[in-house]
Structures are given as C-alpha cells and as structure tokens.
Amino acid sequence: MYIPLITKLIKKKHFSKIRSINRGYTQLKNESKLELLRQLRVILSKTKLTNTSPLKSFFRQGNFDIELSIRQYLYLKILEPSFNKSFLHSIGSNQSLSHPLPKEWRDALITHGIEVNNTKSALLWHSHGLLLWGWGVLSELKSIYFLLKQQPNLGKYIYFHNLIDNNISTNPNRHNIVNWYLRWKNRNIEINSICHSVSDISDFKLGKVNIVQTDELPKLMRTKLLKYICFFIYEVIYSFICLFFKPAFGFLLRESMKFKRVDLANDVDLARDYLFNSSSPYYRPIWTYMAEDKGSRILFYDYSTTKINIKSKNGYLTQEPWHLMNWPHYLVWDEFHAHSISSFNQCNPVIENVGHIWFSSSGKKIEIPPESIAVFDTTPFRPVEFMTKGYPEEYEIFKIHNQFLSDILSVLQSMGINMVHKQKRITKDNHKSYIRRIRQLNKELNYINIEPSIDPLQVIQKTKACISISFTSTAMIANQEGKPSVFYDPTDIIQKDDREAHGIPVLNGIDELKVWIESIKNNIDYE
C-alpha cells in the first residue's frame, strides 16, 4: 500500500525539478546568458586538479599526464549533461548549486560568482566516487569471468570501440564503418579479424576477415591472468581505503585495471589499430597510452563534422572544450576539418585527411524519382532535453527546423521538384511538434520521407542536389560526391563566412533559396 505513495512522491519531485530547470533556463535566456552554461564547463575543464601525484601509483608504468586524464574522465562522468541540470535547477529553485565536484572545481565556480553548496557538493563528490568504485568492482569481476572462459583466437586484429548493430554487416557493399575501414588505403592489411563489442551480432566472415564480438582488451593466460587477479584484489582494497581521502581513487579503479591488463599482455595480443569515434571525444582511455607504447595505433575518427557552434553577427560564442582532446592520430574529412583539429590540439598529432567516413547503414534500398533534391536536417529535442544540452544559442529548436522544411517545400512545390527528406534519427527525446509536422508533410504530393536508418550517401547519390541545415555533415558528403550542395538558414542568423560551413555556400532566407533552386531546376531541365 506504500508503493503508490512513494511513486507519487518521486513523480512529484521529478516534475518539480523539471519546472525548476525550465525557470532557470528562462531566466538565463531573458538575461541573455545562455552561453554561461558552456562557459562554466570550459572553466572547470581548464581548472587543474592539485596533488594528483598519489593517483599515479595506480599506473606505475605509465608515461602520460595523469592530471589531464583525470580531468578528461571527470568531464565525461560528472559534467555532461548532469552539471547543466544541476546548475539550471539551482537558478530556477533559487538555491546554491549542489553537484558532485572536486574542491578545485567548487572553488573555481565560487571565484566566478557562482553560489555553491560546498558541504552538499563535497558529500555528493565522495558518494559519487564510492558508487563508481562499486561499479568498477562489478565491471572488473565481469571482465575476469570473461578472461577465465575460453577466448577466441583472433590472430592479428583491429578493434572498433563503441559500435552499434548497423555499423556492421555481412554485406560488403553497405556504407558502414567496417566496410569503410576495409577500403581505407592506410588500413592494416595484415589483419585476420575485426573486433567489436556489439552483443547481438553473431560472428561471421567478410571476405577473408573474421568479424568477431569480443572484449575490447587483450587476453591474458595462465601466470599473467593470476597476476592480474592478485592485482585486482590489491587495487580493490587499496582504492577503497584511499577514496575516503581522495574520491578520484574510486573513479580510477576500473581504469587502472584496464591499464594493468594491457601492461601484462603480450604485444602480439594487442590490436594493431584501436578506433575510437566522436561519441566520446574528450576522454582518451588511460590504457591506450600503454597500448600505443606497445605498438598499437590509436585512431580517432568523426562520423560527422557537426560542432553545434555557429557564428552570429557578433562573432563566435564559447567553443566546446576541445582543448581536452589529445588523441595521437585523427582521421578527418577535409582540409577544413584538419585545420579545426590542429587549431586546438597541442600534442602534435598525426592528422590524416581521408574524406567522407562511412558509419552506419540499414542496407535497405530506396527508389527516388529523378527530379528530386535531397534535404537533411537534424531532429530537434524536446524542450527539457534541449535546455540541458547547454547550447549557447537557440538554433537547434523546432521553430527553426519547421521554417527550414516549410520554406524548402514551398519553393520546390512551386517548381515541380520532389523534396526527398531524410531525418537524422527518431528517439524518445525528439520534439513532439516536429514528429507531428513530419506526419503533415507526408500528405504533400512532392514530399518523400526517407527512413532515418538509410545511409545519407545512398540518398545523395540518387538525387540532383542537396540542401542541409547548418551544419550537418551531409553537405560535405554531397560536395565530395560532386553534387550541388548548400546550407540553408531560414533565420539569417548564420554568417556566410562561418568556418563550420567547410567552404560550402550558406543561403540566408527564402529569396536566396529560390535563386539557388532555380539554377538547379535549369540544369535538370537541360539534362
């Protein structure tokens, strides 16, 4: 009889927090301070943590900047997006900020005029360290269980981090990341296996290469496995004692075990290439430093080039904390992308221009009428989700997306050209008004809706030209395919010289859109 009451209280508290977040966001917006959320995250990401040398004991053989790695890891675990929620809630509820933060970061916020509940934040910081310590213990027990089982013979292999099912296919012609790698001129040509962690895909063979689901880290056998288990027992006890004085020990337990596993492994049991994507750009796993020392290539690639940071008439707003990134080898799409990477990276990485990087594809075939133009937007979030993303400007919102689609449809209808629209993706966080708008568009005769899982390259290759919202990577794909490609901004906010445009034209307003589509229509008629 008490469960309904508890459920009701939890829901009431949840909705109360949402209302506070909404009030906090509205206050920042009314005061023209939306940029503050990102500014604070950048300030914290640049605030160095003191006395990190004791943490180096976790990584005895490592030659890397432990303080930077901890900052990267903490940014990943406690700043995005949870910090935004806590900060907006504090403003909307007129309370001091409570969030799990180390003392140095709490002091930095106070220095910049942010009211912080030091006692509660310190308690949350220690509690968070303890929770992550517990998660690390359970995760490591799972890893040890995996190591005790019979492990596949991978031969020479590469490993893809953080893939999903439509990144992998038995069809070698799909436009996914595995097939892209096998066509890349600088791939490792001696491999026997390509490995991943997607659990619901059975192992198979792609040409002469085995596609295998396995753990990310190398196998350990006999004496080395016994050393690893003994080290685990020692680290669990040691870190548990230390985390009461320095919670970062709790954060790093799992990372120290991964590092030790790579340290103990034979060099030949490591992947020739480890490939990481832009779903988690800021934290370079600590174990990769040891893997690199043992001869593995550590590669970072973007599956899109969108940075969600536009240039307004007042110039550029605060950038994301790209300064945290220190990958040794980047795979980029074009010279603009390469320049962007080199401008913030201070560790002299290898930057390799590889063109459009395929990522995911459902493999479904589509038929598109010949007189068609491809249209790509992003899917706007529900209001609360958008607020907590911490964007410094209101551009990725339903109102602008709706105007983007409506203007294009209107102009294409008047010229008798089909609008082939591919949405980014459909999730529970999508704006409901946007979903309703798509249903309305489906009733229009010249509107063709393409399923989100279809890869954009297939759509671009079957249409005459491409219109993208600023700044989606589809514009770059179309440009590299030799198709006329533009960004369309219905608001006249985007500047034509914005570096994120990668040299692709920006159309501002419906009049410029009409002129450009008229030129495309003339070419279609001529053909």
Side-chain angles (χ1 to χ4, degrees), residues 374-378 395 397-412 419-422 434 437 441 466-470 472 474 486-491 507 510 513 517:
V375 175
F376 298 92
D377 63 350
T378 56
Y395 195 82
I397 58 175
F398 167 69
K399 180 181 178 181
I400 292 177
H401 280 69
N402 185 39
Q403 191 64 50
F404 171 84
L405 295 174
S406 298
D407 285 359
I408 295 172
L409 180 67
S410 173
V411 175
L412 291 179
M419 174 178 172
V420 179
H421 174 219
K422 181 186 175 301
Y434 177 82
R437 179 59 176 147
L441 289 173
C466 176
I467 305 173
S468 303
I469 202 166
S470 307
T472 59
T474 49
V486 293
F487 290 110
Y488 175 55
D489 168 35
T491 66
L507 307 180
I510 196 168
L513 179 67
I517 292 179

Side-chain angles (χ1 to χ4, degrees), residues 175 333 356 366 368 372-376 420 422 450 454-468 473-485:
H175 300 132
W333 289 42
H356 166 216
I366 54 172
I368 295 176
S372 303
I373 288 180
V375 175
F376 298 92
V420 179
K422 181 186 175 301
I450 301 296
I454 301 294
D455 63 89
L457 179 58
Q458 185 181 171
V459 178
I460 289 167
Q461 290 175 336
K462 294 184 177 182
T463 49
K464 297 295 183 181
C466 176
I467 305 173
S468 303
S473 54
T474 49
M476 277 69 87
I477 298 173
N479 188 50
Q480 292 181 5
E481 287 293 310
K483 298 294 181 79
S485 177

Side-chain angles (χ1 to χ4, degrees), residues 20-278:
S20 295
I21 289 172
N22 185 45
R23 285 194 299 269
Y25 182 87
T26 302
Q27 182 176 328
L28 288 182
K29 180 181 175 180
N30 292 339
E31 296 174 358
S32 300
K33 292 183 177 179
L34 287 180
E35 194 177 5
L36 181 59
L37 278 168
R38 183 175 289 178
Q39 288 172 338
L40 292 177
R41 294 202 312 275
V42 169
I43 287 168
L44 296 181
S45 70
K46 289 183 176 180
T47 301
K48 292 189 175 183
L49 305 172
T50 59
N51 194 26
T52 56
S53 55
L55 298 169
K56 190 72 173 179
S57 62
F58 261 9
F59 310 97
R60 294 168 181 80
Q61 306 298 321
N63 182 23
F64 60 94
D65 186 345
I66 183 66
E67 190 279 330
L68 174 60
S69 292
I70 295 171
R71 259 190 296 137
Q72 291 175 339
Y73 190 75
L74 293 182
Y75 189 94
L76 172 69
K77 291 297 182 181
I78 64 178
L79 287 190
E80 276 202 331
S82 59
F83 175 79
N84 298 334
K85 294 180 181 179
S86 296
F87 184 68
L88 291 174
H89 177 259
S90 73
I91 296 174
S93 61
N94 198 27
Q95 298 175 0
S96 54
L97 173 67
S98 298
H99 194 73
L101 296 170
K103 185 179 185 303
E104 296 89 341
W105 287 7
R106 299 197 301 270
D107 291 344
L109 290 174
I110 293 170
T111 301
H112 286 81
I114 305 302
E115 190 176 338
V116 177
N117 187 327
N118 245 317
T119 302
K120 190 173 180 180
S121 295
L123 181 61
L124 289 171
W125 168 240
H126 282 80
S127 300
H128 212 62
L130 180 60
L131 286 173
L132 281 179
W133 175 87
W135 171 81
V137 172
L138 293 175
S139 299
E140 198 51 43
L141 287 172
K142 183 178 178 181
S143 293
I144 291 172
Y145 172 73
F146 174 81
L147 288 170
L148 291 171
K149 294 171 63 178
Q150 185 174 2
Q151 298 171 48
N153 182 18
L154 302 174
K156 297 177 181 178
Y157 70 101
I158 67 162
Y159 186 89
F160 280 98
H161 176 78
N162 201 25
L163 295 189
I164 56 177
D165 55 1
N166 62 358
N167 298 141
I168 305 165
S169 169
T170 56
N171 184 344
N173 296 316
R174 285 194 193 176
H175 300 132
N176 59 46
I177 186 63
V178 172
N179 289 334
W180 176 87
Y181 180 88
L182 291 172
R183 288 166 172 76
W184 176 37
K185 67 178 182 179
N186 287 335
R187 70 190 183 280
N188 191 302
I189 60 175
E190 299 178 344
I191 58 171
N192 308 110
S193 306
I194 292 178
C195 299
H196 61 90
S197 62
V198 184
S199 58
D200 56 351
I201 294 182
S202 301
D203 296 346
F204 63 94
K205 208 172 185 67
L206 198 60
K208 295 181 179 180
V209 178
N210 297 307
I211 310 298
V212 182
Q213 185 269 322
T214 186
D215 194 0
E216 152 179 84
L217 297 174
K219 62 183 179 181
L220 298 175
M221 305 292 287
R222 300 184 181 89
T223 304
K224 291 187 175 182
L225 179 55
L226 180 60
K227 287 182 179 180
Y228 183 72
I229 294 173
C230 292
F231 182 78
F232 168 65
I233 295 170
Y234 168 78
E235 288 288 79
V236 167
I237 298 171
Y238 177 67
S239 61
F240 181 74
I241 295 171
C242 292
L243 69 84
F244 288 98
F245 307 98
K246 206 154 188 73
F249 278 99
F251 289 97
L252 293 176
L253 172 62
R254 177 69 170 137
E255 300 308 297
S256 71
M257 293 307 303
K258 290 180 179 180
F259 185 90
K260 187 63 175 180
R261 183 164 161 183
V262 175
D263 181 29
L264 287 171
N266 297 320
D267 294 4
V268 295
D269 289 327
L270 290 166
R272 299 306 190 262
D273 291 339
Y274 287 99
L275 292 101
F276 296 82
N277 63 50
S278 50

